[in-house]
Each structure stands twice: as structure tokens, then as C-alpha cells.
Amino acid sequence: MLALLLDREARLALDHPAPVRKPGEARLRMRLAGICDTDLQLARGYMSFRGVLGHEFVGQVLEADDTSWIGRRVVADINAGCGRCQDCRENAGHHCSARTVLGILGRDGALAEELVVPERCLVSVPDHVSDDCAVFAEPLAAAAHVVEELDAVPSAPVVVLGDGKLGQLIARAVLAVGRRVLMVGHHTEKLELAAAAGAEVRLESELDASARGAAVVIEATGSASGVQRALELVRPRGCVILKTTVAGLTGLDLAPLVINEVRLVGSRCGSMQQAIRLLSAGSVDPRPLIAAQYPLERADEALRHAARPGTMKVLVSGADG
């Protein structure tokens, strides 16, 4: 089958073996997939991943133990835990020590004609939610995950540092729960997208003292230097939520965390069910973030397009999409 394969470098494979479904897994046809900054980092060596790229997708079930899934449009939690340990029982397996992660760790991803995922990871997509929206479910779940950290500061505005794809979704998820958002970025056209969704926006170059001393700063710059900048903006005893993952080591002066008693929180995957609820209710419309769409047979071009500086979401449609 066609697949975007990472093996030292990313390439389009024409004869990659079709996935073999194990008991408890579903075999899916990929309808639409998204390229994420994490995919770009993987191609640069992050996690030393080898296999089919892609973890943002909407698919159609072809085969499953539970035949009620067959034919349905689905998204899926990308974390495939063992299903038995305490983390799987209490935290959806997101930190199961034996987990595989779709297109990231030990499991082929979605940028292929077909893929397999555990049935317990499947989430059904309502008929009225389009593929163009549903394909954003995974990054929206990760974006909405930050909301759990906001209860400690219920009234303060939230600063989103970074105006890229994830920052845009974070801003929309936070706005959806009624919080004020100030997005800080470098690109006027991207800040305009956030402003159209209801956020206050500020160019980094025009930042003044009013943006400093924030109770919560969500770092989504995609840059190794983003954490340091977030620490400059957060107030003493405030909170920095870190979303960026980069290949390689990051230097960081930890003294301000101690001196200013700042809480630094890592934030990764969230609830796919919550993401689908937001999309189903129309609380978040991610479609303005789509920059381009390629067929699967041009997935290598799509990856190169996504790597261009400033590019928003690039999508890849299934082989018969």
C-alpha cells in the first residue's frame, strides 16, 4: 500500500505491507490525515521513530471484532496502552509504560491507505461533523487539555505564546470555556485568524508591560526558546503550561522557577471525546487553519509543504478520497 514512511528520512513508499489486524484491534481506511509539527520533529530525529508517520486522522472502520464499528467514521486516541495497568484503568493509558503511540512510538501511523488501532481507542464521529473538522480532533484534544489547569486561576486572562497551528487551537479551546485569551505571536496574518475567533492579539515586537505578569502562560511556540520567553511573561506564583516538543536538548535557566515560585506543567494528549464534543457543538471551527490538501500519492510533497516556515495545517486525503 501507499504510505509516508520514515526510515532515516521520510519517503513515499509504494509497496509498504498492509497492516495486519490483531484481536482487539480495528482496521481502518484513512479518509483524511493532518501533518503536525511533531511529524516534522520526528523526521528530524525526535524519538528515533521509524515507521509510517501520522497521528491526526479521520478514518472508516473496515474490520473489527465488534462488528457495530464496521462502516463508521472514527477518530482515535493515539495512545495504545496495555489496557491492564493502573494508568490504563485511571488515565486512558496516556502514560502506560508499555504503550505504543500512533505514528510516534512503536506503531505505524495514519499517513497510509490503511492503519490499525485498538478498538478501545476509537471515538465515533457524528454525521454532521465533516472530515475537514474531524481531522483536527487529536490536536484539538491536546489543545483543550490545558483547560484542566485553569481552575486554579478562574478569572485571569490566559496568554497563549505562539500563533501557529497548536496555539490557534489552544486559543479556541480556551475561548470555548469562556476565558479571555491574549495571543502573542510574530505573524500578523496568523494573529488575525485568532482575532477572528475572539482572542485579543499582540505582536511580540509590540509587547508592552501589560502582557507581562500573566497568571497563566501557555507556551506553544514550537521553539526551544519558548519556555524561557514564557518565564519572562508569567507573574510570580503563576503557571506556565508547556506544549512544545523539539528534537534535541533545550537549555533553560531554572532559577526563575524557584525564585518566583512558578509552576511549570507539561501538557500532552487530551480527551478525544471532549474534542469531538467541541466540534459537534460548533464551539470550535478549525477549518480556517487549513492551508493545503494533497492526495496520499503526494504525501511527501505535503510533508515538505508543512515544513515551510509559517505554514498552517496541511492535510492528506486517502487514496480514494
Side-chain angles (χ1 to χ4, degrees):
M1 67 175 182
L2 284 172
L4 186 62
L5 185 65
L6 179 59
D7 182 9
R8 296 187 180 177
E9 61 182 26
R11 62 181 178 87
L12 186 65
L14 305 179
D15 56 355
H16 189 70
V20 177
R21 185 183 76 90
K22 299 176 183 177
E25 292 185 328
R27 181 169 64 91
L28 315 178
R29 176 176 67 86
M30 188 272 282
R31 293 172 60 97
L32 193 62
I35 295 177
C36 171
D37 283 350
T38 299
D39 297 317
L40 303 177
Q41 292 295 333
L42 290 167
R44 296 172 187 139
Y46 175 60
M47 299 283 291
S48 301
F49 176 71
R50 295 291 181 268
V52 178
L53 287 167
H55 56 277
E56 302 177 359
F57 79 96
V58 55
Q60 189 163 14
V61 180
L62 301 175
E63 188 179 6
D65 289 350
D66 180 351
T67 57
S68 68
W69 281 112
I70 295 175
R72 292 164 67 180
R73 283 190 312 141
V74 296
V75 294
D77 192 319
I78 66 174
N79 298 279
C82 70
R84 300 178 301 275
C85 69
Q86 182 177 356
D87 187 76
C88 284
R89 294 193 305 270
E90 298 178 358
N91 193 37
H94 286 186
H95 299 283
C96 170
S97 61
R99 75 185 183 277
T100 59
V101 184
L102 187 70
I104 295 175
L105 177 67
R107 178 177 287 270
D108 276 349
L111 285 164
E113 293 180 66
E114 296 183 4
L115 66 152
V116 294
V117 296
E119 286 183 35
R120 63 180 177 274
C121 293
L122 298 179
V123 177
S124 186
V125 176
D127 290 343
H128 67 277
V129 177
S130 68
D131 285 354
D132 283 354
C133 285
V135 74
F136 283 88
E138 194 282 330
L140 179 57
H145 191 41
V146 305
V147 173
E148 298 174 15
E149 304 296 334
L150 302 183
D151 291 343
V153 279
S155 60
V158 174
V159 172
V160 176
L161 186 59
D163 53 17
K165 298 180 284 294
L166 184 54
Q168 295 281 342
L169 289 173
I170 290 168
R172 286 159 172 77
V174 175
L175 287 166
V177 297
R179 299 294 292 269
R180 286 177 54 201
V181 172
L182 171 64
M183 175 177 282
V184 177
H186 293 280
H187 310 92
T188 300
E189 67 281 6
K190 293 182 180 181
L191 292 174
E192 288 173 353
L193 284 172
E200 301 172 44
V201 298
R202 198 78 54 84
L203 282 167
E204 172 81 32
S205 60
E206 298 176 356
L207 210 59
D208 58 26
S210 65
R212 295 176 172 84
V216 181
V217 179
I218 304 172
E219 189 282 326
T221 64
S223 166
S225 62
V227 186
Q228 194 64 53
R229 184 62 175 134
L231 292 175
E232 295 169 3
L233 296 178
V234 72
R235 74 186 186 193
R237 307 202 77 176
C239 177
V240 171
I241 304 174
L242 176 62
K243 298 297 289 189
T244 293
T245 54
V246 296
L249 299 176
T250 299
L252 180 64
D253 179 9
L254 296 178
L257 273 76
V258 178
I259 296 168
N260 294 321
E261 297 184 306
V262 171
R263 190 162 59 98
L264 183 63
V265 179
S267 178
R268 190 172 60 98
C269 298
S271 166
M272 296 294 287
Q273 290 86 352
Q274 180 186 16
I276 288 296
R277 285 194 295 270
L278 289 169
L279 294 169
S280 181
S283 302
V284 173
D285 182 359
R287 290 172 294 182
L289 306 182
I290 299 172
Q293 182 171 321
Y294 289 77
L296 181 58
E297 56 265 29
R298 295 172 58 199
D300 51 345
E301 294 179 51
L303 188 70
R304 290 193 292 271
H305 187 161
R308 297 175 196 168
T311 301
M312 299 302 282
K313 182 61 68 179
V314 175
L315 302 178
V316 176
S317 56
D320 56 354

